Amino acid sequence: MLNRFAADYLDTLANADFRPTAKVSGRLMSCDGLLMEAVGLSLPVGTVCMVGDTVEAEVIGFRGERTLLMNLGGPAPLLPKALVRPLGAAGEAEVGDAMLGRVVDGAGKPIDGLGPIRGAQTWPLAGKLQGPLDRGRVLEPLDVGVRAINGLLTVGKGQRIGIMAGSGVGKSVLLGMMVRAAKADVIVIGLIGERSREVADFLDTKVAGEARKRSVVVAVPANHSPVLRIRGALRTHAIAEYFRAQGKNVLLIMDSLTRVAHAGREIGLALGEPASARGYPPSAIAMLPNLIERAGTDAHGTGAITAIYTVLADGDDGNDPVVDSARSILDGHIVLSRALAERGVYPAINVGPSVSRVMTDIAGHDHLAAARVLRRHLATYEENRDLVLMGAYRAGTDPAIDAAIAYHPAVTDYIRQDPEETVSLGDAAAELVGVFGTP
């Protein structure tokens, strides 16, 4: 009987389709903060590895025979020559209707306490490359509920626009006003590199109620690894791209683009890249167009991604490398002024340097003409503001300055708006034409 059992068992093993595979592993040779070096591995960039028993790290480059990894989970107890094992490529993002109403981190793991995400599909984390002719024109306006933006900086479906300002000038408040009022099938929000407190605040105040059910939030606060912050930005765009491919009108919010560049700077400097503009290595700035160009309108379908990015101007410097690079690739930018905020004008939109590059394609003739009149009055007043406030200007000397002084209260009232107030696109255009239009 034993012989028969042994023969049957051996026959079963012989017929089984068994292909043994070797387990690839290496050893940790260096750990300097978040940067690690391992030997004995030959893995492509982007591979996620387990270092020791608890620490996850991602391959970010090579140095001779050593593989460079960046810690994904913060500081952890590691010993020299700890085992390094590959877990798999990090090239896919979970997407689909199963993501709606959920909050995930940079690695795609749910952090909202609602359990695992089941039934999700996948989409390339780096997106699917599209040619220039695969992008359609922006021809339809989008109501964002802010009078000054609807009237003077009209936003279109599929446009990429930036909110640029220094710290504490009201970027997040203005962003919340736009999110509450904008009509979109899906809202994808990336809170990258910001304060942890803002995640719960954003969910409770900006996307509460029905908007929460059609939103996906990717939250990677400032205390997370720079690799996770960049992966969070990629994941945000991948989710938006999937819904656009389904023909949905997607509103993509990213707060903030500058923190993504900061994460790229940390990685670039760790890899030994030379610091060029204001301490940013070339790869950190070159990464921004790759992100921004993923949004837009699909020329072969009905879907569109309208993207709104906040851009932090370090030291209120409008020529900061991140601000300048974003301004050159975006379809428009809204500049917030600290001087206006100090005067109590909120939202503190500085209309002069702000621009929407698609407004001429989506706004009517009377609307455009009235917006130009307001801009002209505002520019004339600001050029002569010191003379007027000192009393050095005599009324009647210049008709243009007289008109600018007379219209200035109306200009200020048009820009000012309470955070809880919503002004539709039609009302904003009608008010603008009624006050500043040609009689």
Side-chain angles (χ1 to χ4, degrees):
M1 182 179 293
L2 183 61
N3 291 335
R4 187 168 63 250
F5 171 78
D8 293 342
Y9 178 70
L10 292 175
D11 289 341
T12 303
L13 290 179
N15 295 330
D17 187 13
F18 178 71
R19 294 184 179 90
T21 57
K23 291 186 177 180
V24 180
S25 63
R27 292 290 177 179
L28 181 67
M29 301 304 294
S30 172
C31 181
D32 182 10
L34 297 177
L35 186 66
M36 307 176 191
E37 295 184 10
V39 296
L41 290 172
S42 180
L43 302 171
V45 173
T47 304
V48 178
C49 298
M50 178 66 72
V51 183
D53 297 325
T54 57
V55 180
E56 289 189 1
E58 182 175 327
V59 177
I60 61 172
F62 309 97
R63 184 174 294 154
E65 297 296 325
R66 297 194 173 194
T67 300
L68 305 180
L69 305 99
M70 184 71 77
N71 190 344
L72 297 180
L78 291 172
L79 296 173
K81 297 186 178 180
L83 192 66
V84 181
R85 295 173 287 109
L87 298 179
E92 301 288 333
E94 294 77 16
V95 297
D97 292 340
M99 301 291 294
L100 295 177
R102 301 304 301 268
V103 184
V104 299
D105 62 8
K109 300 175 182 176
I111 56 175
D112 50 10
L114 300 179
I117 299 173
R118 304 187 186 281
Q121 303 176 49
T122 58
W123 189 270
L125 202 61
K128 296 181 179 179
L129 186 63
Q130 289 186 309
L133 297 182
D134 294 327
R135 297 295 171 84
R137 295 179 60 198
V138 179
L139 299 174
E140 186 178 351
L142 178 69
D143 188 350
V144 296
V146 181
R147 183 191 299 110
I149 298 176
N150 280 338
L152 305 173
L153 305 163
T154 311
V155 176
K157 290 182 180 179
Q159 184 176 1
R160 294 86 51 85
I161 196 162
I163 301 176
M164 302 176 175
S167 58
V169 185
K171 295 187 300 299
S172 297
V173 175
L174 177 59
L175 195 63
M177 295 171 67
M178 299 172 71
V179 170
R180 281 195 299 269
K183 301 296 187 294
D185 299 324
V186 178
I187 304 172
V188 183
I189 302 166
L191 302 176
I192 311 298
E194 295 298 320
R195 295 176 288 273
S196 299
R197 174 190 61 81
E198 288 189 341
V199 177
D201 179 73
F202 204 99
L203 293 175
D204 293 340
T205 61
K206 276 71 171 183
V207 289
E210 289 297 322
R212 178 72 180 274
K213 298 178 182 178
R214 52 188 173 90
S215 65
V216 183
V217 180
V218 181
V220 192
N223 61 335
H224 285 218
S225 163
V227 176
L228 276 181
R229 278 177 264 155
I230 292 179
R231 197 190 293 180
L234 296 174
R235 188 174 300 278
T236 302
H237 285 77
I239 295 171
E241 284 177 324
Y242 167 81
F243 284 112
R244 178 180 62 187
Q246 304 304 308
K248 301 291 182 65
N249 176 29
V250 182
L251 178 64
L252 186 150
I253 305 292
M254 179 165 288
D255 187 12
S256 78
L257 195 65
T258 304
R259 304 300 186 190
V260 178
H262 287 178
R265 178 173 61 185
E266 292 180 46
I267 295 175
L269 294 178
L271 288 172
E273 279 191 69
S276 52
R278 306 281 181 90
Y280 288 96
S283 62
I285 302 300
M287 176 176 55
L288 302 182
N290 293 333
L291 272 181
I292 295 171
E293 278 297 305
R294 294 174 65 174
T297 304
D298 187 357
H300 307 298
T302 58
I305 299 176
T306 305
I308 304 175
Y309 303 93
T310 63
V311 185
L312 176 65
D314 290 332
D316 291 340
D317 184 5
N319 295 320
D320 179 83
V322 177
V323 176
D324 197 46
S325 178
R327 185 167 48 216
S328 67
I329 198 70
L330 289 167
D331 299 323
H333 50 273
I334 302 168
V335 180
L336 303 187
S337 168
R338 191 175 298 276
L340 285 175
E342 290 171 350
R343 294 179 211 152
V345 178
Y346 288 99
I349 298 175
N350 191 353
V351 176
S354 302
V355 65
S356 173
R357 296 178 180 174
V358 303
M359 184 175 176
T360 54
D361 296 327
I362 58 178
H365 176 74
D366 293 341
H367 182 175
L368 291 171
R372 293 191 188 104
V373 171
L374 185 149
R375 283 178 173 273
R376 184 168 65 248
H377 288 324
L378 181 59
T380 302
Y381 183 86
E382 292 298 332
E383 289 173 1
N384 300 276
R385 180 182 180 82
D386 293 340
L387 291 176
V388 174
L389 295 181
M390 289 188 301
Y393 174 74
R394 292 174 54 189
T397 304
D398 188 331
I401 299 179
D402 292 339
I405 295 173
Y407 274 103
H408 189 67
V411 172
T412 303
D413 288 342
Y414 190 82
I415 296 173
R416 184 184 284 118
Q417 182 177 334
D418 291 334
E420 296 78 16
E421 183 184 2
T422 299
V423 180
S424 69
L425 177 61
D427 291 343
E431 184 177 345
L432 182 68
V433 173
V435 178
F436 299 96
T438 303

